[in-house]
Amino acid sequence: MDRIRIVGGNKLAGSIPISGAKNAALPLMIASLLTDDTLTLENVPHLADVEQLIRILGNHGVDYSVNGRREKQQKGYSRTINFSARNIVDTTAPYELVSKMRASFWVIGPLLARMGEAKVSLPGGCAIGTRPVDLFLEGLQALGAELDVDNGYVIAKTKNGRLHGNRYVFPKVSVGATHVLMMAASLAKGETVLENAAREPEIVNLAECLIAMGAKIHGAGTSTITIEGVEALSGARVRVIPDRIETGTYAMAVAMTGGDVVLEGARPDLLQTALDVLVETGAEITPTNEGIRVKRNGAGIAPVDVTTAPFPAFPTDLQAQFMGLMTMAKGKSRITETIFENRFMHVQELARLGAHITLSGQTAIVDGIARLKGAPVMATDLRASVSLVIAGLAAEGETVVNRVYHLDRGFERLEEKLSGCGAVIERISG
Ligand code: EPZ
């Protein structure tokens, strides 16, 4: 199993290109199931989760091809990929595939809307919490789906071959369920109104894609989305937005180590709350023509309290990284997680680097110290893993992060991007 070895202490300086967003690319790829035409996606990041979803879509009959001359494709770089679901050969998403990646459950929306049936394995729990699918089921039922849960599978059918529009009020904000209902409603008969919908930038990216495919959608990015169903959708060409979580992660790395880095291609509007918090900690953030410049000199890190919540608030996917930063703040900070019930697994690992953190329910109280000390640590999930990398970059001496396959799910060329800015970081294979 690969490991990452870091020798901490260097400031970061230079530039880091920001990749396409994993969490935008995945639903866009799934949207290819809605049409028998080709959906071309630009800026698709080269990540383990993307490769896994390509396999899952392939099981339903989706062909893909990577654009451009082969010699121009650099391994590990974002690519343009054509997806073509001309013939759906299978409407079942089996346990073996869905259990590997929760987002693959989302195929239920387009399969049901286009084919009138879908049999999709329940995703099960995952390391960060139980993550039920009740909102997906309730929402699809509101659109007229007949559902049965049998032997770990959701078996969904439409009554007369087509879903029909309806009003559905989410009792709780869900990114995935908003994606799924927006896709399903695009091919339903009549109008759907989704209230208390998620407002994340990835929802807006998917809506732009569906609109380019011929869907009639208004209000994506607000909490009320209106979708007038159409008979069929066509192909389109759409660009995946820059990854706001990757952007925030590197910004926090600079805020922690000190230095001066331009995050190329980053969009400040996708993570304004997190950037405002970083400014409060003492980082200098400047939007530039190239992206976002992050700088920190001298003064040290000020403690700041944060609470995670749906967009536009502070994202849960940056909570672990921010905790890494706060371990070296000049004082106490409180970090409250409200999205997932078990997203503090990095606490024990940060403690191995010397961090002082106590947990009180869904709040972590972080008592900043002057220096972390390198140690072997274990990656537990994607964002927790990268918080250990950031902490390792700022710690004295050597940190080895084990189980880095978590990182490969969501960070494109992590070691290369960081070492390009002066970090001492390498992958040890085997
Ligand atoms: C998406 O997950 C992201 N994943 C997550 O990123 C992110 O942390 C999360 O949104 C919140 O921003 C992708 O986009 C692929 P939710 P999702 O449905 O859609 C509860 C990462 O590291 N809920 O918004 O699964 C749920 O348990 C990942 O990249 C229900 O109760 O999240 C959670 O507490 C991790 N019933 C809350 O809602 C449901 O039917 C929000 O989950 C659905 C969700």
Side-chain angles (χ1 to χ4, degrees), residues 279-335:
V279 169
E280 283 185 63
T281 69
E284 248 179 72
I285 309 271
T286 325
T288 69
N289 287 341
E290 290 82 45
I292 302 174
R293 183 172 176 192
V294 186
K295 228 170 126 176
R296 189 177 65 79
N297 292 320
I301 302 163
V304 180
D305 295 345
V306 302
T307 298
T308 66
F311 191 85
F314 192 94
T316 173
D317 288 348
L318 284 175
Q319 179 257 108
Q321 299 88 314
F322 186 70
M323 195 180 300
L325 173 61
M326 287 297 98
T327 61
M328 279 176 49
K330 291 170 156 177
K332 262 192 191 154
S333 59
R334 295 167 65 85
I335 301 176

Coordinates of all heavy atoms in Angstrom, one line a residue, residues 279-335:
V279 N -9.0 34.7 6.2 CA -8.6 36.1 6.4 C -8.6 36.4 7.9 O -7.6 37.0 8.5 CB -9.5 37.1 5.6 CG1 -9.2 38.5 6.1 CG2 -9.2 36.9 4.1
E280 N -9.6 35.9 8.6 CA -9.7 36.1 10.1 C -8.5 35.4 10.8 O -8.1 35.9 11.8 CB -11.0 35.6 10.6 CG -12.2 36.4 10.4 CD -13.4 35.8 11.1 OE1 -13.4 35.7 12.4 OE2 -14.4 35.4 10.4
T281 N -8.1 34.3 10.2 CA -6.9 33.6 10.9 C -5.6 34.4 10.6 O -4.6 34.0 11.2 CB -6.8 32.2 10.4 OG1 -6.3 32.2 9.0 CG2 -8.0 31.4 10.5
G282 N -5.6 35.3 9.7 CA -4.4 36.1 9.5 C -3.8 35.9 8.1 O -2.8 36.5 7.7
A283 N -4.5 35.1 7.2 CA -4.0 34.9 5.9 C -4.4 36.1 5.0 O -5.4 36.8 5.3 CB -4.5 33.6 5.3
E284 N -3.6 36.4 4.0 CA -4.0 37.5 3.0 C -4.5 36.8 1.8 O -3.8 35.9 1.2 CB -2.7 38.2 2.6 CG -2.6 39.6 3.1 CD -1.3 40.2 2.6 OE1 -1.2 40.4 1.4 OE2 -0.4 40.3 3.5
I285 N -5.7 37.1 1.4 CA -6.4 36.4 0.2 C -6.6 37.5 -0.8 O -7.4 38.4 -0.5 CB -7.7 35.7 0.6 CG1 -7.5 34.8 1.9 CG2 -8.3 35.0 -0.5 CD1 -7.1 33.4 1.6
T286 N -6.1 37.3 -2.0 CA -6.4 38.3 -3.1 C -6.8 37.6 -4.3 O -6.1 36.8 -4.9 CB -5.1 39.1 -3.4 OG1 -4.3 39.2 -2.2 CG2 -5.3 40.4 -4.1
P287 N -8.0 37.9 -4.8 CA -8.5 37.4 -6.1 C -7.6 38.0 -7.2 O -7.3 39.2 -7.1 CB -9.9 37.8 -6.2 CG -10.3 38.3 -4.9 CD -9.1 38.7 -4.2
T288 N -7.1 37.3 -8.1 CA -6.3 37.8 -9.2 C -6.8 37.3 -10.5 O -7.8 36.5 -10.5 CB -4.8 37.3 -9.1 OG1 -4.8 35.9 -9.4 CG2 -4.2 37.5 -7.7
N289 N -6.2 37.8 -11.6 CA -6.7 37.3 -12.9 C -6.5 35.8 -13.1 O -7.2 35.1 -13.8 CB -6.0 38.0 -14.1 CG -6.4 39.4 -14.2 OD1 -7.5 39.7 -13.7 ND2 -5.6 40.3 -14.8
E290 N -5.4 35.3 -12.5 CA -5.1 33.8 -12.6 C -6.0 33.0 -11.7 O -6.1 31.8 -11.9 CB -3.7 33.5 -12.3 CG -2.6 34.0 -13.3 CD -2.3 35.5 -13.0 OE1 -2.1 35.9 -11.9 OE2 -2.3 36.3 -14.0
G291 N -6.4 33.5 -10.6 CA -7.2 32.7 -9.6 C -7.2 33.4 -8.2 O -7.7 34.5 -8.1
I292 N -6.6 32.7 -7.2 CA -6.6 33.3 -5.9 C -5.2 33.3 -5.3 O -4.5 32.2 -5.4 CB -7.5 32.5 -4.9 CG1 -8.9 32.5 -5.5 CG2 -7.5 33.1 -3.5 CD1 -9.8 31.5 -4.6
R293 N -4.7 34.4 -4.8 CA -3.4 34.4 -4.2 C -3.5 34.3 -2.7 O -4.3 35.1 -2.1 CB -2.7 35.7 -4.6 CG -1.3 35.8 -4.1 CD -0.6 37.0 -4.6 NE 0.8 37.1 -4.1 CZ 1.5 38.2 -4.2 NH1 1.1 39.2 -4.9 NH2 2.7 38.2 -3.6
V294 N -2.8 33.4 -2.1 CA -2.9 33.2 -0.6 C -1.5 33.4 0.0 O -0.5 32.9 -0.5 CB -3.3 31.8 -0.3 CG1 -3.5 31.7 1.2 CG2 -4.6 31.4 -1.0
K295 N -1.4 34.3 1.0 CA -0.2 34.6 1.6 C -0.3 34.7 3.1 O -1.3 35.0 3.6 CB 0.1 36.1 1.1 CG 1.4 36.4 0.6 CD 1.4 37.8 0.0 CE 2.5 38.6 0.6 NZ 2.6 39.9 0.0
R296 N 0.8 34.3 3.8 CA 0.8 34.5 5.2 C 2.3 34.8 5.6 O 3.1 34.0 5.4 CB 0.2 33.4 6.1 CG 0.1 33.9 7.6 CD -0.6 32.9 8.4 NE 0.2 31.7 8.6 CZ 1.3 31.6 9.4 NH1 1.6 32.6 10.1 NH2 1.9 30.4 9.5
N297 N 2.5 35.9 6.3 CA 3.8 36.2 6.7 C 3.7 36.5 8.2 O 2.7 37.1 8.7 CB 4.4 37.4 6.0 CG 4.6 37.1 4.6 OD1 5.1 36.0 4.3 ND2 4.3 38.0 3.7
G298 N 4.8 36.2 8.9 CA 5.0 36.8 10.3 C 3.9 36.4 11.3 O 4.0 35.4 12.0
A299 N 2.9 37.2 11.4 CA 2.1 37.4 12.6 C 1.5 36.1 13.3 O 1.0 36.2 14.4 CB 0.9 38.3 12.2
G300 N 1.6 35.0 12.6 CA 1.0 33.8 13.3 C -0.4 33.6 12.9 O -1.0 34.4 12.2
I301 N -1.0 32.5 13.5 CA -2.4 32.1 13.1 C -3.3 32.5 14.2 O -3.1 32.0 15.4 CB -2.4 30.6 12.9 CG1 -1.4 30.2 11.8 CG2 -3.8 30.1 12.5 CD1 -1.0 28.7 11.7
A302 N -4.4 33.2 13.9 CA -5.4 33.6 14.9 C -6.4 32.5 15.0 O -6.8 32.0 14.0 CB -6.0 34.9 14.6
P303 N -6.9 32.2 16.2 CA -7.9 31.2 16.3 C -9.3 31.7 15.9 O -9.6 32.9 16.2 CB -8.0 30.8 17.8 CG -7.4 32.0 18.5 CD -6.4 32.7 17.5
V304 N -10.1 30.9 15.2 CA -11.4 31.3 14.7 C -12.3 30.1 14.9 O -12.0 29.0 14.7 CB -11.4 31.7 13.2 CG1 -12.7 32.1 12.7 CG2 -10.3 32.8 12.9
D305 N -13.6 30.4 15.4 CA -14.6 29.3 15.6 C -15.3 29.1 14.2 O -15.7 30.1 13.6 CB -15.6 29.7 16.6 CG -14.9 29.8 18.0 OD1 -13.8 29.4 18.2 OD2 -15.6 30.4 18.9
V306 N -15.6 27.9 13.9 CA -16.4 27.7 12.7 C -17.5 26.6 12.9 O -17.3 25.7 13.8 CB -15.7 27.3 11.4 CG1 -14.6 28.3 11.0 CG2 -15.0 25.9 11.5
T307 N -18.6 26.7 12.2 CA -19.6 25.6 12.2 C -19.9 25.3 10.8 O -20.2 26.1 10.0 CB -20.9 26.2 12.9 OG1 -20.5 26.6 14.2 CG2 -22.0 25.2 12.9
T308 N -19.8 24.0 10.5 CA -20.1 23.6 9.1 C -21.6 23.6 8.9 O -22.4 23.4 9.8 CB -19.6 22.1 8.9 OG1 -20.4 21.2 9.7 CG2 -18.2 22.0 9.1
A309 N -22.0 23.9 7.7 CA -23.5 23.9 7.3 C -23.5 23.9 5.8 O -22.5 24.1 5.1 CB -24.2 25.1 7.9
P310 N -24.7 23.6 5.2 CA -24.8 23.6 3.7 C -24.4 25.0 3.1 O -24.4 26.0 3.8 CB -26.3 23.4 3.5 CG -26.8 22.7 4.7 CD -26.0 23.2 5.8
F311 N -24.0 24.9 1.8 CA -23.6 26.1 1.1 C -24.7 27.2 1.2 O -25.9 26.9 1.2 CB -23.4 25.8 -0.4 CG -22.7 26.8 -1.2 CD1 -21.4 26.9 -1.2 CD2 -23.5 27.8 -1.9 CE1 -20.7 27.9 -2.0 CE2 -22.9 28.8 -2.6 CZ -21.5 28.8 -2.6
P312 N -24.3 28.5 1.4 CA -23.0 29.1 1.3 C -22.2 29.1 2.6 O -21.2 29.8 2.7 CB -23.3 30.5 0.8 CG -24.6 30.8 1.5 CD -25.4 29.5 1.5
A313 N -22.6 28.3 3.6 CA -21.8 28.4 4.9 C -20.5 27.6 4.8 O -20.1 27.1 3.7 CB -22.7 27.8 6.0
F314 N -19.8 27.4 5.9 CA -18.5 26.8 5.8 C -18.7 25.3 5.5 O -19.4 24.6 6.2 CB -17.8 26.9 7.2 CG -16.4 26.5 7.2 CD1 -15.4 27.5 7.0 CD2 -16.0 25.2 7.4 CE1 -14.0 27.1 6.9 CE2 -14.7 24.8 7.3 CZ -13.7 25.8 7.1
P315 N -18.0 24.7 4.5 CA -18.3 23.4 4.0 C -17.7 22.3 5.0 O -16.6 22.4 5.4 CB -17.6 23.3 2.7 CG -16.6 24.4 2.6 CD -17.0 25.4 3.6
T316 N -18.5 21.2 5.2 CA -18.0 20.1 6.0 C -16.7 19.5 5.3 O -15.9 19.0 6.0 CB -19.1 19.0 6.1 OG1 -18.5 17.9 6.7 CG2 -19.7 18.6 4.8
D317 N -16.6 19.6 4.0 CA -15.5 19.0 3.3 C -14.2 19.7 3.6 O -13.1 19.3 3.1 CB -15.7 18.9 1.8 CG -16.7 17.8 1.5 OD1 -17.1 17.0 2.4 OD2 -17.2 17.7 0.3
L318 N -14.2 20.9 4.3 CA -13.0 21.6 4.7 C -12.8 21.6 6.2 O -11.9 22.2 6.7 CB -13.0 23.1 4.2 CG -12.8 23.3 2.7 CD1 -13.0 24.7 2.3 CD2 -11.4 22.8 2.3
Q319 N -13.7 20.9 6.9 CA -13.6 21.0 8.4 C -12.3 20.4 8.9 O -11.6 20.9 9.8 CB -14.9 20.3 8.9 CG -15.0 20.2 10.4 CD -14.6 18.8 10.9 OE1 -13.5 18.6 11.5 NE2 -15.4 17.8 10.6
A320 N -11.9 19.2 8.4 CA -10.7 18.5 8.9 C -9.5 19.4 8.6 O -8.6 19.5 9.4 CB -10.6 17.1 8.2
Q321 N -9.4 19.9 7.4 CA -8.3 20.7 7.0 C -8.2 22.0 7.9 O -7.1 22.4 8.3 CB -8.4 21.2 5.5 CG -8.4 20.1 4.5 CD -9.9 19.6 4.2 OE1 -10.6 19.4 5.1 NE2 -10.2 19.4 3.0
F322 N -9.3 22.6 8.2 CA -9.3 23.8 9.0 C -8.9 23.4 10.5 O -8.2 24.2 11.1 CB -10.7 24.4 9.1 CG -10.7 25.7 9.8 CD1 -10.1 26.8 9.3 CD2 -11.3 25.8 11.0 CE1 -10.0 28.0 10.0 CE2 -11.3 27.0 11.7 CZ -10.6 28.1 11.2
M323 N -9.3 22.2 10.9 CA -8.8 21.8 12.2 C -7.3 21.6 12.2 O -6.7 22.0 13.2 CB -9.5 20.5 12.6 CG -9.3 20.2 14.1 SD -10.1 18.7 14.6 CE -11.8 18.9 14.2
G324 N -6.8 21.1 11.1 CA -5.3 21.0 11.0 C -4.7 22.4 11.3 O -3.8 22.6 12.1
L325 N -5.2 23.4 10.6 CA -4.7 24.8 10.7 C -4.8 25.3 12.1 O -3.9 25.9 12.7 CB -5.5 25.7 9.7 CG -5.2 27.2 9.8 CD1 -3.8 27.5 9.5 CD2 -6.1 27.9 8.8
M326 N -6.0 25.0 12.8 CA -6.2 25.6 14.1 C -5.3 24.9 15.2 O -5.1 25.5 16.3 CB -7.7 25.4 14.5 CG -8.6 26.3 13.8 SD -8.3 28.1 14.2 CE -7.3 28.6 12.8
T327 N -4.7 23.7 14.9 CA -3.8 23.1 15.8 C -2.6 23.9 16.1 O -2.0 23.8 17.2 CB -3.4 21.7 15.4 OG1 -2.6 21.8 14.2 CG2 -4.5 20.7 15.2
M328 N -2.3 24.9 15.2 CA -1.2 25.7 15.5 C -1.6 27.2 15.6 O -0.7 28.1 15.5 CB -0.1 25.6 14.3 CG 0.7 24.4 14.5 SD 1.9 24.0 13.2 CE 2.7 25.5 13.0
A329 N -2.8 27.4 16.0 CA -3.3 28.8 16.2 C -2.8 29.3 17.6 O -2.5 28.5 18.4 CB -4.8 28.9 16.1
K330 N -2.8 30.6 17.7 CA -2.4 31.2 19.0 C -3.6 31.3 20.0 O -4.1 32.4 20.2 CB -1.9 32.6 18.8 CG -0.5 32.6 18.1 CD -0.3 34.1 17.7 CE 1.1 34.5 17.5 NZ 1.0 35.9 17.1
G331 N -4.1 30.2 20.4 CA -5.3 30.2 21.3 C -6.3 29.1 21.0 O -6.0 28.2 20.1
K332 N -7.5 29.2 21.6 CA -8.5 28.1 21.5 C -9.5 28.4 20.4 O -10.0 29.5 20.3 CB -9.2 28.0 22.8 CG -8.7 26.9 23.7 CD -9.7 26.7 24.8 CE -8.9 25.8 25.8 NZ -9.3 25.8 27.1
S333 N -9.9 27.4 19.6 CA -11.0 27.5 18.7 C -11.9 26.4 18.8 O -11.6 25.3 19.3 CB -10.4 27.6 17.2 OG -9.7 26.4 17.0
R334 N -13.2 26.6 18.4 CA -14.2 25.6 18.5 C -14.7 25.3 17.1 O -15.1 26.2 16.4 CB -15.4 26.1 19.3 CG -15.1 26.4 20.8 CD -16.2 27.2 21.5 NE -17.4 26.4 21.5 CZ -17.7 25.5 22.5 NH1 -16.8 25.3 23.5 NH2 -18.8 24.9 22.5
I335 N -14.7 24.0 16.7 CA -15.1 23.6 15.4 C -16.3 22.7 15.5 O -16.2 21.6 16.1 CB -14.0 22.9 14.6 CG1 -12.8 23.9 14.5 CG2 -14.4 22.5 13.3 CD1 -11.5 23.3 13.9

